[in-house]
C-alpha cells in the first residue's frame, strides 16, 4: 500500500471513530432524556391517585361542585406533567437523530476505507456489522419513542375530557364515574409509557457501550494504518495515535443530564 493510501486509510478510520464517538454521546443523552421523562411521570402518580380520592368523596361531599373543581385542578397538574413528558420525548428524538446522522457518516467513511487496497478484512467487516447493528437500535428506539408519545397523547385527551366536564354537578354518581374513569385511563397509560421508557433507556445504554467498543476498534484500525507512516517504535506511537483516539478517551463516558438521574 502506497504512502498516499496509508494516509487515506488513517484519515478514514479517524473519521469513522469520530462519528462513533458522536453517536455514543448522542445515545447517552437520549438515554438520560428518557430517564428524565420516566422520573417526571413517576412524580405524577400521586396526583393520579388523587383523582380516585376525589371520585370517592363525591358521594358524601356537601359541596360536589367543589370536588369536581379539585378533580379538574388535579387533572390540570397531571396534564402539565404530561406536557413536560412530551418535551422530554422530543429531546430523545433529537438525540436519536444526531446518533443516526453520525452512524451514517461513519458508514460512509468505512465504505470509502473498504475501497482502499488492503483495507477489506475481518476488522472492517466486524466494524460494519457494529454500525449496522447500532443503526437498527436507533431505528427501534425511534419507533418506541413515537409509541410513548402516542400513548401520552391518549392520556392527555382523557384529562381534557375531565377538565371540560360541567363544573356544576347534576348527578353525583355520573360525576364520580367520570373522575374515576379518567384516573384509571391515565394511570394505565402512564404505566404503559413508563414500562416502555425503561426498556428504551436500557437499550440505549447498551447501544452506547457498543458504540464505545466500535470506536475503539476503529482507533485500532487507524493506528495500524498509521504505523507505516510513523517510523517510531510502537510504544512511542501510543502518544500520537490521532485525534479520534484522544476524543474517545475524553468523551467515551459521554456527558449526562438531569439532576434526578438515578445511578
Amino acid at each position: 500500500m502506497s504512502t498516499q493510501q496509508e494516509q487515506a486509510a488513517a484519515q478514514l478510520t479517524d473519521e469513522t471513530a469520530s462519528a462513533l464517538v458522536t453517536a455514543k454521546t448522542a445515545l447517552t443523552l437520549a438515554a438520560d432524556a428518557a430517564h428524565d421523562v420516566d422520573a417526571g411521570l413517576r412524580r405524577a402518580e400521586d396526583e393520579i391517585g388523587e383523582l380516585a380520592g376525589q371520585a370517592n368523596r363525591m358521594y358524601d361531599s356537601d359541596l360536589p361542585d367543589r370536588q369536581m373543581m379539585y378533580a379538574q385542578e388535579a387533572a390540570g397538574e397531571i396534564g402539565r406533567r404530561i406536557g413536560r413528558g412530551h418535551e422530554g420525548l422530543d429531546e430523545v428524538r433529537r438525540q436519536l437523530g444526531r446518533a443516526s446522522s453520525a452512524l451514517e457518516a461513519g458508514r460512509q467513511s468505512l465504505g470509502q476505507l473498504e475501497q482502499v487496497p488492503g483495507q477489506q478484512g475481518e476488522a472492517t467487516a466486524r466494524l460494519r456489522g457494529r454500525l449496522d447493528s447500532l443503526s437498527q437500535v436507533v431505528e427501534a428506539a425511534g419507533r418506541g419513542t413515537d409509541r410513548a408519545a402516542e400513548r401520552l397523547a391518549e392520556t392527555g385527551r382523557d384529562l381534557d375530557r375531565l377538565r371540560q366536564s360541567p363544573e356544576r354537578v347534576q348527578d353525583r354518581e355520573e360525576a364520580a364515574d367520570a373522575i374515576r374513569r379518567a384516573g384509571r385511563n391515565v394511570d394505565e397509560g402512564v404505566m404503559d409509557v413508563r414500562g416502555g421508557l425503561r426498556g428504551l433507556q436500557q437499550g440505549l445504554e447498551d447501544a452506547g457501550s457498543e458504540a464505545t467498543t466500535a470506536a475503539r476498534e476503529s482507533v485500532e484500525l487507524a493506528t495500524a494504518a498509521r504505523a507505516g507512516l510513523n517510523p517510531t517504535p510502537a510504544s512511542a506511537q501510543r502518544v500520537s495515535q490521532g485525534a479520534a483516539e484522544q476524543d474517545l478517551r475524553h468523551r467515551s463516558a459521554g456527558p449526562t443530564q438531569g439532576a434526578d438521574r438515578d445511578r
Side-chain angles (χ1 to χ4, degrees):
M1 186 166 58
S2 69
T3 300
Q4 185 176 6
Q5 290 169 340
E6 290 173 339
Q7 290 174 335
Q11 178 179 344
L12 289 168
T13 48
D14 273 347
E15 290 174 358
T16 303
S18 181
L20 283 162
V21 169
T22 298
K24 151 68 179 177
T25 301
L27 290 167
T28 298
L29 292 175
D32 287 347
H35 175 274
D36 290 344
V37 174
D38 180 50
L41 294 176
R42 184 179 66 242
R43 288 191 291 270
E45 290 177 347
D46 288 343
E47 289 141 4
I48 296 172
E50 177 62 19
L51 290 177
Q54 294 297 340
N56 292 333
R57 287 190 287 273
M58 178 65 71
Y59 295 105
D60 302 324
S61 175
D62 294 333
L63 299 170
D65 294 351
R66 182 171 294 181
Q67 295 304 137
M68 176 58 77
M69 180 187 70
Y70 291 155
Q72 290 175 331
E73 288 177 350
E77 181 58 32
I78 299 166
R80 285 186 283 275
R81 290 198 185 277
I82 296 295
R84 290 192 286 273
H86 278 293
E87 293 174 0
L89 291 176
D90 286 342
E91 175 63 11
V92 174
R93 286 196 191 91
R94 191 177 77 84
Q95 296 299 338
L96 290 175
R98 285 185 61 213
S100 180
S101 297
L103 291 170
E104 178 59 28
R107 202 163 22 245
Q108 291 178 3
S109 295
L110 185 61
Q112 295 176 44
L113 176 66
E114 290 173 330
Q115 301 304 312
V116 177
Q119 290 302 311
Q120 284 187 332
E122 181 180 345
T124 52
R126 183 171 59 250
L127 191 55
R128 177 165 292 281
R130 291 191 188 280
L131 283 164
D132 291 342
S133 176
L134 286 167
S135 293
Q136 292 172 6
V137 170
V138 170
E139 290 176 6
R143 293 192 295 270
T145 303
D146 289 341
R147 285 194 297 272
E150 291 169 3
R151 196 69 172 97
L152 280 185
E154 290 177 10
T155 65
R157 288 190 288 271
D158 289 322
L159 292 166
D160 287 342
R161 280 190 287 271
L162 176 58
R163 293 170 66 190
Q164 293 164 8
S165 297
E167 294 181 2
R168 297 289 297 178
V169 175
Q170 303 297 327
D171 186 313
R172 291 171 182 262
E173 185 171 353
E174 182 179 326
D177 285 346
I179 297 170
R180 188 177 293 107
R181 182 168 55 252
R184 182 174 58 251
N185 291 343
V186 172
D187 185 55
E188 291 175 354
V190 166
M191 292 300 293
D192 286 348
V193 172
R194 290 195 63 202
L197 286 172
R198 286 191 290 270
L200 174 64
Q201 182 186 350
Q202 186 60 58
L204 291 172
E205 289 175 350
D206 292 344
S209 297
E210 176 80 359
T212 299
T213 300
R216 288 199 180 102
E217 291 179 352
S218 188
V219 166
E220 291 170 2
L221 282 175
T223 302
R226 195 175 288 105
L229 302 174
N230 189 348
T232 58
S235 58
Q237 291 176 23
R238 291 179 59 84
V239 178
S240 58
Q241 287 182 347
E245 185 179 16
Q246 294 175 27
D247 197 24
L248 176 62
R249 281 202 304 269
H250 290 299
R251 298 170 56 196
S252 61
T256 59
Q257 292 180 336
D260 293 324
R261 181 161 178 75
D262 298 325
R263 292 294 186 184

